[in-house]
């Protein structure tokens, strides 16, 4: 089996077969992570570059571990955003990467659409590690993998996504992915943090958290970017936490066996209470492990999956 | 304008002459001589005149583009008067109105004179300068509008920058009223568009790009209309782009206020969906942004009804370094002179949305009326500015062949039907079969 996609840029455009293939493949990859010696030779001789214009130790490490477990060489390039206000640099960097013979580039960038730009310049696969407020497709896939693992299915699930949907690439990827797989999605947050016409993406939208959480199979809490406060989109973290924070009481409105998810890192006590974050319903640690498995699956399918041994 | 001697007489024979200012839409001959229109009629003869066979072609008054950025002085690598006016000639335009936001800006009479002098030396079409409304385009103190009007400025505008301060706009309208020149405003309430790069709506949500709400434009259009009512000064709304703007213009029209508006081919023909469908191609980044389908619909209706009286390109050439970057970092603007007419014919006329004569009116008599120009018609005795169009000619847009230095267009590769084939400026043929002759 091979992916139809050459790059992993967005779940919006990813065919459903590709989503299924990645999730299925991630299942077998996860076994490798639990072995005492976590190393298979699948991608020996391949070079994977992580190009991060925005700090994220968590995502970068996850990709690098995924590559290393499959014996690929990894190179990481971290660039402070301030020094790259001129995008010329991205074009030049891309050209440099091309002539240096990298086999795959994983990029995180603060500007939406930058990975599409990179993919036009490069002839090796590009993986979007999060672009601006657009998408974070591997996060969406690992979230779906986690739901499917715990619930046995995606079809028919009701998923509530709570928080700063406006700025969230995680929310966008999850909406596209989950809708594609037959789940229903409701997004919730203060109206200033819900983008216009999001219903047309196929999600319900509400600012009433109780309504969103009610009877949900999954409650996904987004990280509140506290620096956004300066734009005046919500008055205070205190009020946010009182009106939209996920507490035991609110989580109890969901189905009794509902999962609680968070892409991390958490602002404990603000968007999520420690009580629920550390409860058995929480999948937050699984998400981290599954992130490595899903990224292994993607690298395998993009770089090695085609050749049968 | 660069003229090489006196033009010899030219007989344009047998074309469909469309001159809305005179109510003409009929097959006839047009005779040009001594830089003016000599005669309109049937079976004209003229000894010694060159003959251009125009059977099957449309013969129209030279097109006027009342909103272009020539980038000279200051950013000649993006465009200059020579390249910009050649692009205009290639696109069938015989007159371009040059915006004041050059570097330095055209904000006093010496700068107006300098543009006119440079144009006399290098331009192949008429160049009419716009003067800034405020010194340095800073939106604070009025520039010397009287001096600039005397030097030849045809309008005043801080285009590129909205005039955010309502009191400044009020004074500009009151003061400028004396000179009977319109104040052209780029209407946008800046606090609503900070850091925004496209239209606020479904596609900005999908793409995760910061959006400019339509009301950012409409708030300022409404303000300008109210100030026109207060002062009696002439307001011209640059690049109207939203349905709400159209509604406001209708109100102004009903009241008979001195408010006019233009729309660009871009906003009349393309929607914000294109940003998505081209996967963030920065050639779709323009200000005001590509709007939603309902806005495009409303603009077309307003154009047909005359609520929008002019089409202007807002030709905004950029260097590739300003566009081959991440979407947020890219410059706003589309290089529009060479694709305007074919795009409009393809999307609006050949589809039956706008009659040919209406389109011609909005590109000739409309802008001439707004600016008070003796142009935009084939009146006998008037300047011999003529554009001949082959309505059936099909060609693909190839930015590499643009005369403009700005290759930034979202239309690259698009097949369009209906192109200009002859541009005559003051009796001189400056473009023939797409090739500029000077
Ligand atoms: Zn403008």
């Amino acid at each position: 089996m091979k992916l139809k996609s050459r790059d992993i840029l967005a779940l919006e455009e990813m065919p459903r077969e590709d989503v299924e293939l990645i999730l299925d493949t991630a299942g077998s990859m996860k076994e490798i992570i639990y072995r005492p010696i976590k190393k298979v030779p699948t991608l020996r001789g391949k070079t994977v570059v992580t190009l991060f214009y925005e700090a994220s130790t968590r995502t970068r490490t996850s990709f690098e571990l995924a590559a290393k477990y499959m014996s690929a060489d990894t190179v990481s390039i971290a660039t402070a955003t301030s020094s790259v206000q001129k995008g010329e640099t991205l074009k030049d960097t891309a050209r440099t990467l091309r002539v240096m013979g990298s086999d795959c580039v994983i990029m995180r960038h603060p500007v939406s659409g930058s990975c599409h730009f990179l993919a036009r310049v490069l002839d090796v696969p590009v993986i979007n590690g999060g672009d601006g407020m657009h998408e974070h497709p591997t996060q969406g896939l690992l979230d779906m993998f986690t739901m499917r693992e715990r619930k046995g299915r995606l079809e028919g699930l009701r998923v509530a996504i709570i928080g700063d949907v406006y700025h969230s690439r995680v929310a966008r990827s999850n909406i596209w992915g989950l809708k594609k797989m037959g789940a229903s999605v409701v997004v919730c947050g203060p109206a200033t943090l819900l983008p216009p016409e999001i219903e047309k993406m196929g999600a319900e939208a509400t600012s009433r958290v109780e309504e969103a959480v009610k009877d949900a199979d999954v409650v996904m809490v987004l990280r509140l970017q506290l620096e956004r406060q300066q734009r005046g989109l919500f008055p205070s973290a205190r009020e946010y936490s009182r009106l939209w924070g996920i507490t035991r009481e609110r989580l109890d409105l969901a189905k009794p066996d509902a999962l609680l998810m968070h892409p991390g890192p958490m602002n404990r006590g603000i968007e999520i209470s420690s009580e629920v974050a550390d409860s058995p319903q929480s999948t937050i640690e699984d998400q981290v492990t599954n992130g490595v498995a899903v990224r292994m699956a993607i690298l395998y399918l993009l770089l090695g999956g085609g050749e049968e041994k | 304008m660069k003229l090489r001697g006196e033009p010899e007489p030219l007989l344009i024979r047998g074309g469909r002459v469309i001159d809305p200012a005179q109510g003409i839409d009929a097959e006839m001959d047009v005779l040009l001589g001594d830089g003016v229109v000599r005669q309109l009629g049937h079976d004209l003869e003229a000894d010694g005149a060159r003959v251009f066979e125009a059977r099957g072609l449309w013969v129209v008054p030279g097109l006027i583009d009342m909103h272009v950025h020539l980038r000279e002085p200051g950013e000649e690598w993006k465009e200059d008067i020579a390249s910009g006016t050649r692009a205009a000639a290639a696109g069938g335009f015989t007159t371009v109105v040059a915006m004041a936001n050059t570097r330095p800006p055209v904000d006093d009479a010496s700068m107006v004179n300098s543009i006119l002098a440079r144009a006399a030396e290098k331009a192949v079409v008429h160049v009419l300068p716009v003067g800034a409304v405020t010194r340095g385009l800073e939106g604070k103190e009025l520039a010397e509008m009287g001096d600039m009007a005397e030097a030849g400025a045809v309008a005043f505008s801080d285009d590129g920058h909205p005039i955010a301060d309502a009191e400044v706009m009020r004074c500009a309208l009151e003061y400028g009223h004396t000179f009977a020149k319109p104040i052209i405003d780029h209407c946008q309430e800046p606090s609503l568009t900070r850091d925004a790069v496209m239209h606020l709506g479904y596609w900005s949500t999908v793409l995760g790009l910061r959006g400019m709400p339509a009301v950012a434009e409409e708030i300022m259009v409404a303000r300008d209309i109210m100030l026109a009512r207060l002062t009696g000064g002439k307001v011209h709304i640059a690049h109207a782009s939203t349905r709400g703007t159209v509604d406001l213009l209708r109100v102004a029209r009903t009241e008979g206020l001195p408010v006019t508006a233009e729309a660009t081919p871009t906003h009349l023909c393309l929607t914000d969906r294109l940003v998505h469908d081209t996967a963030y191609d920065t050639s779709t980044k323009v200000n005001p942004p590509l709007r939603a389908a309902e806005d495009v619909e409303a603009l077309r209706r307003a154009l047909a009804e005359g609520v929008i009286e002019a089409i202007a390109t807002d030709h905004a050439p950029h260097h590739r370094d300003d566009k081959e970057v991440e979407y947020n970092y890219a410059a706003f603007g589309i290089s529009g002179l060479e694709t305007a007419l074919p795009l409009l014919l393809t999307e609006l006329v050949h589809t039956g949305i706008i009659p040919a004569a209406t389109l011609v009116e909005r590109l000739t008599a409309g802008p001439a009326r707004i600016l008070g120009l003796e142009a935009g018609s084939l009146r006998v005795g008037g300047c011999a500015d003529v554009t001949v169009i082959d309505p059936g000619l099909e060609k693909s847009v190839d930015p590499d062949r643009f005369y403009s230095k700005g290759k930034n267009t979202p239309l690259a590769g698009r097949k369009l039907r209906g192109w200009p084939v002859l541009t005559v400026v003051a009796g001189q043929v400056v473009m023939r079969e797409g090739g500029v002759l000077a």
Side-chain angles (χ1 to χ4, degrees):
Chain A
M1 287 289 282
K2 260 195 111 166
L3 287 177
K4 290 196 162 61
S5 319
R6 189 201 77 153
D7 306 293
I8 306 294
L9 301 179
L11 295 191
E12 181 198 358
E13 64 214 24
M14 184 180 283
R16 186 187 161 118
E17 305 93 281
D18 280 7
V19 176
E20 275 164 359
L21 180 58
I22 291 168
L23 298 186
D24 291 345
T25 311
S28 44
M29 292 297 168
K30 195 170 174 181
E31 292 163 25
I32 298 170
I33 301 173
Y34 289 118
R35 289 182 195 170
I37 296 169
K38 306 168 181 51
K39 202 89 171 173
V40 292
T42 323
L43 298 184
R44 186 178 290 151
K46 302 280 189 188
T47 304
V48 171
V49 176
T50 58
L51 175 60
F52 274 50
Y53 286 86
E54 210 178 64
S56 171
T57 313
R58 189 181 276 253
T59 303
R60 190 170 47 76
T61 309
S62 179
F63 271 113
E64 284 178 7
L65 283 177
K68 288 192 162 105
Y69 290 167
M70 292 188 294
S71 306
D73 294 313
T74 61
V75 179
S76 78
I77 303 173
T79 318
T81 322
S82 58
S83 68
V84 291
Q85 284 306 309
K86 278 273 177 201
E88 214 176 1
T89 315
L90 177 55
K91 200 170 99 186
D92 291 343
T93 306
R95 285 183 172 153
T96 310
L97 292 173
R98 188 170 60 185
V99 293
M100 289 194 322
S102 37
D103 297 296
C104 174
V105 179
I106 297 147
M107 183 167 77
R108 162 158 300 190
H109 198 289
V111 175
S112 303
S114 300
C115 298
H116 292 78
F117 177 87
L118 186 69
R120 279 196 283 265
V121 182
L122 289 180
D123 41 21
V124 296
V126 171
I127 300 174
N128 182 357
D131 63 326
M133 320 189 295
H134 176 227
E135 283 217 39
H136 192 354
T138 60
Q139 177 76 40
L141 288 162
L142 79 87
D143 289 339
M144 285 194 281
F145 181 84
T146 307
M147 289 178 218
R148 200 175 74 161
E149 191 177 47
R150 290 279 201 108
K151 292 283 178 191
R153 69 195 161 96
L154 290 170
E155 184 119 36
L157 292 184
R158 180 175 168 80
V159 180
I161 301 178
I162 317 293
D164 181 356
V165 179
Y166 181 88
H167 293 100
S168 176
R169 48 199 174 208
V170 176
R172 285 172 178 77
S173 283
N174 269 288
I175 293 171
W176 291 124
L178 288 163
K179 293 300 295 179
K180 217 180 282 279
M181 303 307 285
S184 69
V185 179
V186 53
V187 295
C188 174
T192 45
L193 298 181
L194 294 176
E197 302 188 47
I198 193 163
E199 295 91 340
K200 276 169 68 183
M201 287 174 67
E204 292 167 51
T206 174
S207 286
R208 302 161 67 95
V209 68
E210 286 79 10
E211 192 182 305
V213 171
K214 192 167 187 309
D215 297 328
D217 294 289
V218 177
V219 175
M220 182 182 293
V221 183
L222 300 174
R223 174 179 163 77
L224 195 66
Q225 318 256 318
L226 292 167
E227 62 274 15
R228 306 286 186 207
Q229 267 195 93
Q230 288 153 5
R231 288 188 77 97
L233 295 177
F234 57 95
S236 70
R238 192 194 68 80
E239 180 162 302
Y240 180 90
S241 119
R242 195 170 66 75
L243 297 176
W244 288 280
I246 296 303
T247 55
R248 179 80 261 165
E249 196 187 14
R250 285 185 176 140
L251 188 58
D252 282 346
L253 298 171
K255 291 201 179 137
D257 60 347
L259 305 181
L260 177 77
M261 304 183 79
H262 191 297
M266 293 178 278
N267 298 300
R268 284 176 180 265
I270 298 178
E271 74 261 7
I272 191 166
S273 75
S274 278
E275 193 193 356
V276 296
D278 301 330
S279 74
Q281 282 171 277
S282 164
T283 65
I284 296 167
E285 283 172 13
D286 289 353
Q287 285 170 270
V288 177
T289 312
N290 291 341
V292 179
V294 162
R295 289 168 180 129
M296 287 173 78
I298 288 170
L299 289 172
Y300 169 73
L301 291 166
L302 285 180
L303 294 180
E307 295 112 279
E308 299 294 317
K309 288 203 202 73
Chain B
M1 214 200 51
K2 187 178 170 183
L3 286 177
R4 298 149 306 145
E6 279 305 303
E8 47 185 305
L10 175 65
L11 179 63
I12 301 172
R13 193 154 66 190
R16 173 183 169 191
V17 175
I18 307 171
D19 181 3
Q22 298 190 83
I24 296 173
D25 186 346
E27 233 167 68
M28 56 175 81
D29 303 341
V30 179
L31 178 65
L32 313 176
D34 300 327
V36 298
V37 179
R38 282 260 162 254
Q39 232 183 319
L40 293 183
H42 298 278
D43 306 317
L44 296 186
E45 280 182 41
D47 288 339
R50 283 175 305 152
V51 175
F52 184 87
E53 288 296 345
R55 228 160 289 280
L57 308 179
W58 299 352
V59 180
V60 308
L63 308 182
I64 300 168
D65 188 346
M66 66 178 297
H67 189 148
V68 304
H69 297 275
L70 294 178
R71 307 294 187 208
E72 182 176 350
E75 292 176 304
E76 287 86 351
W77 68 91
K78 293 185 174 190
E79 191 82 291
D80 56 30
I81 289 173
S83 63
T85 56
R86 277 162 182 76
F93 292 93
T94 56
T95 299
V96 294
V97 174
M99 284 296 153
N101 61 336
T102 48
R103 292 183 184 174
V106 180
D107 64 354
D108 63 23
S110 72
M111 285 299 296
V112 174
N113 287 325
S114 143
I115 297 293
L116 289 170
R118 285 167 198 247
E121 206 180 303
K122 309 195 298 178
V124 300
V125 305
H126 307 287
V127 175
L128 304 176
V130 169
V133 176
T134 65
R135 277 179 223 273
L137 305 168
E138 282 177 351
K140 293 176 189 147
E141 303 165 52
L142 293 187
E144 292 173 342
M145 294 162 72
D147 269 12
M148 287 191 282
E150 265 171 40
V154 295
F156 298 99
S157 182
D158 281 0
D159 183 60
H161 308 266
I163 300 172
D165 189 309
E167 172 68 4
V168 169
M169 184 62 173
R170 173 189 160 185
C171 290
L173 285 167
E174 275 174 355
Y175 186 76
H177 197 22
T178 322
F179 317 108
K181 309 269 185 239
I183 307 284
I184 303 174
D185 200 10
H186 177 133
C187 290
Q188 203 162 61
E189 166 51 46
S191 64
L192 288 170
T193 58
R194 209 170 290 142
D195 301 331
V197 296
M198 70 173 293
H199 173 63
L200 180 79
Y202 175 65
W203 294 110
S204 67
T205 290
V206 167
L207 293 164
L209 291 174
R210 207 171 279 287
M212 304 185 193
V215 296
E217 174 173 312
E218 293 150 9
I219 284 171
M220 207 172 266
V221 170
R223 181 204 72 175
D224 284 357
I225 290 173
M226 291 177 189
L227 291 173
R229 189 185 289 139
L230 176 71
T231 62
K234 282 197 206 178
V235 171
H236 177 75
I237 309 297
H239 37 59
S241 73
T242 79
R243 186 172 63 171
T245 292
V246 166
D247 292 343
L248 292 163
L249 290 169
R250 280 184 210 284
V251 173
R253 172 157 293 250
T254 317
E255 279 189 52
L257 296 173
V259 177
T260 55
E262 74 200 20
T264 75
T266 303
H267 294 101
L268 286 162
C269 299
L270 307 176
T271 69
D272 60 343
R273 192 196 161 110
L274 195 63
V275 187
H276 173 265
D277 292 355
T278 60
Y280 298 89
D281 186 335
T282 56
S283 71
T284 62
K285 186 173 170 185
V286 60
N287 187 6
L290 299 180
R291 298 290 188 183
E294 66 199 42
D295 296 306
V296 172
E297 199 54 45
L299 287 179
R300 290 175 170 195
R301 213 173 318 121
L303 185 76
E305 293 168 6
V307 173
I308 288 172
E309 294 176 55
I311 296 172
T313 63
D314 189 10
H315 175 69
H318 285 293
H319 190 263
R320 49 187 292 192
D321 288 349
D322 298 311
K323 283 289 193 178
E324 286 184 355
V325 294
E326 296 91 323
Y327 207 85
N328 285 4
Y329 306 154
F332 287 101
I334 289 173
S335 179
L337 279 168
E338 285 159 89
T339 53
L341 186 64
L343 180 63
L344 293 162
L345 288 169
T346 305
E347 295 288 329
L348 300 183
V349 175
H350 293 321
T351 50
I353 293 168
I354 308 255
T358 305
L359 181 76
V360 172
E361 204 278 339
R362 307 293 183 258
L363 286 163
T364 56
R369 190 171 54 243
I370 293 165
L371 297 171
L373 306 177
E374 291 280 327
S377 167
L378 295 173
R379 255 178 231 107
V380 171
C383 186
D385 296 338
V386 185
T387 302
V388 181
I389 299 162
D390 181 345
L393 180 62
E394 233 179 27
K395 273 201 286 187
S396 293
V397 176
D398 179 4
D400 289 338
R401 305 192 58 181
F402 278 4
Y403 284 90
S404 171
K405 293 182 189 177
K407 314 298 180 193
N408 47 306
T409 172
L411 301 171
R414 198 183 278 213
K415 193 173 267 183
L416 300 176
R417 189 156 69 88
W419 292 75
V421 292
L422 188 77
T423 308
V424 183
V425 179
Q428 270 310 342
V429 173
V430 296
M431 182 278 281
R432 190 165 183 163
E433 307 292 336
V436 176
L437 304 174

